Amino acid sequence: MKAVTAIDQLAESYDLVVVGAGPAGLSAAARAAELGVGVLLVDENPAPGGQIYRAVTTTPVSDRDVLGADYWRGAEIVARFERSQASYAGSCTLWSIGPDAAVPEGGGFEIGLSLDGRARLIGARQLILATGAQERPFPIPGWTLPGVMTAGAAQIALKSAAIVPAGRTVIAGCGPLLYLLAGQLAAAGAEIVAVLDTTPRSNWLKAAAALPDFLRSPYLAKGLKLMAKARRSLRFVGGVTGLAAEGADKLATVQVERGGSVETIACDTLLLHQGVIPSVNLSNAAGCTHDFDTVQHCWVPRLDDWLSSSEPGIAIAGDGAGIGGAESAALRGEVAALGAAHRLGRLDASERDRAAAPLRAELARALRGRRFLDLLYKPAPQFLAPRRDETIICRCEEVTAGQVRDTAVRLGVTGPNQMKAFLRCGMGPCQGRLCGPTVVELIAEANGTTPAEVGYYRLRPPVKPITLAELAALPQSEAAVKAVVR
Amino acid sequence: MTTNANRNEGDVVVIGGGVVGAAVALGLARSGARVIVLDEGDVAFRASRGNFALVWVQSKGLGMPEYALWTRRSAEDWHGLAVILRDEAGIDVVHSQPGGFVPCLSEAELDKRVTAMRRLHNLPGLADFPYEVLGRAETKRRLPDIGKDVVGALYSPLDGHVNSLKLFRALREASARHDVDYRPNHAAEAIEPRDGGFRIRGPWGEIAAAKVVLAAGLGNARLAPMVGLDAPVKPSKGQIIVTEKTTPFLHHPMGTIRQTDEGGVMIGDSQEDRGFDTIVGQPVISVMAERAVRTFPRLAALNVVRTWSALRVMSPDGFPIYDQSQSHPGAFVVTCHSGVTLAANHVLTLAPAILAGELPEMAASFSARRFHVPVHA
Amino acid sequence: MFRSMRDAKAGARLSFTFDGRPLTGREGDTVTASLLANGVTACRETPVSGVPRAPYCLMGVCFDCLIVIDGIGNRQGCLVPLREGMRIETQHGRRQPEEMRG
Ligand SMILES: Cc1cc2nc3c(=O)[nH]c(=O)nc-3n(C[C@H](O)[C@H](O)[C@H](O)COP(=O)(O)OP(=O)(O)OC[C@H]3O[C@@H](n4cnc5c(N)ncnc54)[C@H](O)[C@@H]3O)c2cc1C
Ligand SMILES: Cc1cc2nc3c(=O)[nH]c(=O)nc-3n(C[C@H](O)[C@H](O)[C@H](O)COP(=O)(O)OP(=O)(O)OC[C@H]3O[C@@H](n4cnc5c(N)ncnc54)[C@H](O)[C@@H]3O)c2cc1C
Ligand code: FES
């Protein structure tokens, strides 16, 4: 591995640029480099690992049992990448993807990178986006109060800084990761006073048909172990139908509804989590087509067998391609790398297919049982589209659920882009990452349509913040000057 | 409960729900008409979501003095419109007319602008349009934050700005309160003149009206010939950069830089003829950013939150097209590339005239017939 | 509010200030993690309504960790590694002019 620590150490262009150094990106970059492709891997975090393996090479957590064997496996993935010839730029964000004007016949990309406050545009013949997932927004009344954060955030704090919430901690939500996080935090010494499960009871029925696959899947043993461990040691409250965080300037209590009854729990920290969804901001801004996946209940990019998107030359691997978990992320990274290497002329079709066959078999095994989990942990409607009007749904612009509903109905707004123009939701610095899914859900509900019909925000570069000075320092063209100075 | 027949009939059908259509619809409804607005859905070319929000007078009208007068009239009536929107929509659209600057970054730029301004003011009727040419020292006195590259500026007290998204929403909100029937996902595919009125069709069905107003922005080019009108409008791409919110520092709009009431700084706006392509082009954004930073160096450290590009609705000479069909009276077209500036005219002057059946005299020069005058050798 | 877990590897200590208060943090931590470890709850007041906010996602997504670092406003503390001598301040609402000289 060649470390790039300053923006001017980057080459003018690379055969392949991989974005994101989680399992998908690390595996894609390593595989492609092993095939002789000139690769650059960039990640905005200072150290490789992505979400699951965050800080795996630098973590101050010394007790290996706290994070579990699955976490430490990441060290091998990082080590393989480090043995490769790929270049790696940490603390480097990719903020734009555009066509490369220098390639007259089209096909190449010009990508905008920023490192240490300086931006540069470089060329890339092929791109693999491995930007992973984010936690699904969990808009409840009071979720903007200090003291409320995502469960994933607490995990990040634990992995990267070996710190745990002090004082009474409540974890709420649903999804396979919820139990993992609860278990890890408890093992690390956090005082978890309750785990509030919002999984709708009716989901068990819907998921039942997918149960046989799940019973033969690798998830099963792992999942049961996690759940058993969490249930044994922690207070576990199922069937939660409503949640609200309360407090003046910071969290003081959480209100828990279960059917008709309400319980108030005093706490210092509330950790929210209701699954993860692909991060689509970059692929959306790059122009890739997305579809609404009704099982995973989120937008996913439309991909072919080689994980190539609708934009030729852009492949998407890992959880950004649809949630599959760490193992499948790494496998999909490799498949995408084979596809890119083939398009770059490094592998002929038969070599590529032969190399991919065992990966595909493993992928099928890794994904078996996923459907069961997706159906079981699909969040309840009231946690996707909050019922209480005063609930903030756009944290940046402080737009409420009531405003979105009212505007949808009264002003005839059928989609998020017009909603954004009218209410500013999605216009703040997070660029809709924390409100997009909720806005879509609220509009669909108000108009009696589906998320697929409602659509999603149309996103534009920069997908990550960059200063005006950085933009101003980039190359100009004569035509561009003419278009501006009139 | 309205009957089905009622639901699919109006006094006037306005096709297009951008700021132009929304303004006309509001004006019609305020004059007592039953109005139906047909619009496309969430994904559409809709310049009204992507503009720079100036109510701009200086430099408008070179080549057509009537346009300068028409623009000035709208700027003068804008305060009245803002009051109407406050009262009838409950929304403050943050209109102000503090005077606008065009800072220049070289002597050549300043000269070019001054020459254009002089030519404009030599046109009949425009002599008393107030403006000033400011040297560097005076510019610096009025705008202390300018950078060293600013050599001077043009200034006109007639210029102002609004929050154009609040304007868009307020027009729709007020329309809704005046019972305008707004129908999204109702693109008009065909218009058929029948029995002295019009039938408008789409995949959603059909509706009838005595009058139809084409306010479909770029869509007008296709619709106009169906009712004997002509609207040869073409897209002209404009790109805009918006920064994060910062404390108020810029109290005047500029031709290409303004601070919104929310705090963001908008940097505009390029002009490119690239058909219907709306990709954000990097070099253009860089030029805009670089010029903004040279104009106000304090902007340099601000984070950019968004960039976008939108399509202006451009007629061949850049001036509005207002027309009533000669072959099918009752069919009107209303289209322009400064729909924010002209919103006051559209609500207060044009719409009542359309309802009365005749365009105002002031608007006579804006007929598309001007494009068909044989050119003399 | 957070605290260190038992048996965490120590790591070098770095000094920094938060709103003028001298504090220390572990080398290798982000600005946000260091603040959390020091018991800081809110790091900013929003530019819209002025209410206090605290870091929410720690992974660069939510922008609730915005903070003034060495005089430069609206930085994402969860992505910036702590450095010796950093001057960290609460982000009060909109970006201030003195934070814009950068
Ligand atoms: C908070 C969180 C915690 C999770 N914890 C676990 C867990 O403990 N166990 C588990 O099995 N699964 C976990 N997951 C699920 C996780 O999505 C997958 O397990 C796995 O990490 C996916 O791998 P990936 O390579 O697709 O993406 P990730 O591992 O998410 O890696 C994506 C990388 O891309 C980088 N990136 C994103 N955008 C840009 C950009 N524009 N420029 C530069 N870099 C960029 C990110 O910084 C990140 O490092 C977690 C997910 C989240 C969101
Ligand atoms: C970058 C940029 C900067 C600008 N800056 C300014 C400024 O500072 N000041 C100013 O005054 N103006 C400015 N403008 C211009 C202003 O935005 C436009 O004049 C105005 O938005 C045009 O409004 P419109 O309603 O005619 O068109 P649009 O906003 O484009 O709306 C047309 C509407 O018609 C609908 N439609 C199209 N076809 C059909 C059909 N067949 N059936 C039904 N509906 C249909 C569309 O969906 C859309 O809703 C700017 C424009 C741009 C692009
Ligand atoms: S805490 Fe969410 S972006 Fe930093």
Side-chain angles (χ1 to χ4, degrees), chain A residues 189-276:
Chain A
E191 184 197 345
I192 296 173
V193 295
V195 179
L196 310 174
D197 194 320
T198 59
T199 311
R201 295 223 153 106
S202 58
N203 280 9
W204 282 98
L205 260 175
K206 293 176 194 151
L211 189 59
D213 263 348
F214 179 70
L215 295 177
R216 296 186 296 126
S217 82
Y219 290 116
L220 178 67
K222 223 187 270 178
L224 285 181
K225 219 166 74 195
L226 285 173
M227 206 166 327
K229 197 169 153 198
R231 281 195 186 253
R232 219 176 20 245
S233 47
L234 304 172
R235 179 179 171 224
F236 202 84
V237 183
V240 172
T241 52
L243 285 170
E246 288 172 354
D249 270 0
K250 61 180 212 248
L251 176 74
T253 59
V254 51
Q255 284 235 344
V256 188
E257 278 172 51
R258 298 172 73 201
S261 71
V262 179
E263 181 190 356
T264 303
I265 304 177
C267 58
D268 303 291
T269 305
L270 170 62
L271 302 176
L272 297 173
H273 177 88
Q274 53 176 351
V276 297

Side-chain angles (χ1 to χ4, degrees), chain B residues 308-328:
Chain B
W308 70 77
S309 77
L311 300 178
R312 294 187 193 79
V313 184
M314 254 330 162
S315 68
D317 56 9
F319 302 121
I321 301 176
Y322 303 133
D323 236 339
Q324 174 164 205
S325 170
Q326 287 184 313
S327 53
H328 304 290

Side-chain angles (χ1 to χ4, degrees), chain A residues 60-82:
Chain A
V61 176
S62 52
D63 178 352
R64 291 174 76 91
D65 287 345
V66 168
L67 295 170
D70 277 352
Y71 174 72
W72 296 102
R73 191 161 304 142
E76 286 160 41
I77 294 186
V78 174
R80 172 188 174 194
F81 170 73
E82 283 175 343

Side-chain angles (χ1 to χ4, degrees), chain A residues 36-94:
Chain A
V37 173
V39 183
L40 170 69
L41 172 64
V42 302
D43 194 296
E44 67 182 340
N45 278 294
Q51 297 313 338
I52 174 160
Y53 307 133
R54 183 172 278 266
V56 70
T57 55
T58 55
T59 180
V61 176
S62 52
D63 178 352
R64 291 174 76 91
D65 287 345
V66 168
L67 295 170
D70 277 352
Y71 174 72
W72 296 102
R73 191 161 304 142
E76 286 160 41
I77 294 186
V78 174
R80 172 188 174 194
F81 170 73
E82 283 175 343
R83 283 191 303 271
S84 80
Q85 290 299 306
S87 297
Y88 168 69
S91 298
C92 179
T93 43
L94 178 133

Side-chain angles (χ1 to χ4, degrees), chain B residues 92-112:
Chain B
D92 176 2
V93 300
V94 210
H95 169 252
S96 70
Q97 194 180 17
F101 292 83
V102 176
C104 295
L105 291 172
S106 71
E107 292 296 343
E109 250 175 61
L110 185 61
D111 283 350
K112 195 171 125 196

Side-chain angles (χ1 to χ4, degrees), chain A residues 111-169:
Chain A
I111 59 171
L113 299 175
S114 174
L115 201 170
D116 209 10
R118 286 172 56 214
R120 239 186 96 184
L121 298 170
I122 64 166
R125 288 173 64 198
Q126 293 281 322
L127 286 170
I128 296 178
L129 311 185
T131 54
Q134 66 167 67
E135 287 172 277
R136 190 193 293 277
F138 201 154
I140 59 167
W143 69 315
T144 51
L145 283 171
V148 182
M149 52 167 46
T150 71
Q155 194 201 35
I156 289 168
L158 171 60
K159 287 174 180 170
S160 61
I163 54 175
V164 291
R168 293 168 60 85
T169 301

Side-chain angles (χ1 to χ4, degrees), chain A residues 402-449:
Chain A
Q403 285 175 290
V404 173
R405 257 194 290 267
D406 178 62
T407 306
V409 173
R410 256 171 358 87
L411 297 193
V413 176
T414 60
N417 294 292
Q418 193 64 33
M419 194 61 82
K420 177 174 172 180
F422 283 168
L423 294 182
R424 293 189 62 81
C425 47
M427 279 197 187
C430 96
Q431 298 171 321
R433 286 172 173 89
L434 263 86
C435 70
T438 316
V439 168
V440 169
E441 209 70 47
L442 286 165
I443 295 174
E445 207 186 65
N447 291 334
T449 53

Side-chain angles (χ1 to χ4, degrees), chain A residues 168-187:
Chain A
R168 293 168 60 85
T169 301
V170 172
I171 300 185
C174 62
L177 282 177
L178 190 78
Y179 309 107
L180 170 68
L181 303 181
Q184 288 176 334
L185 289 171

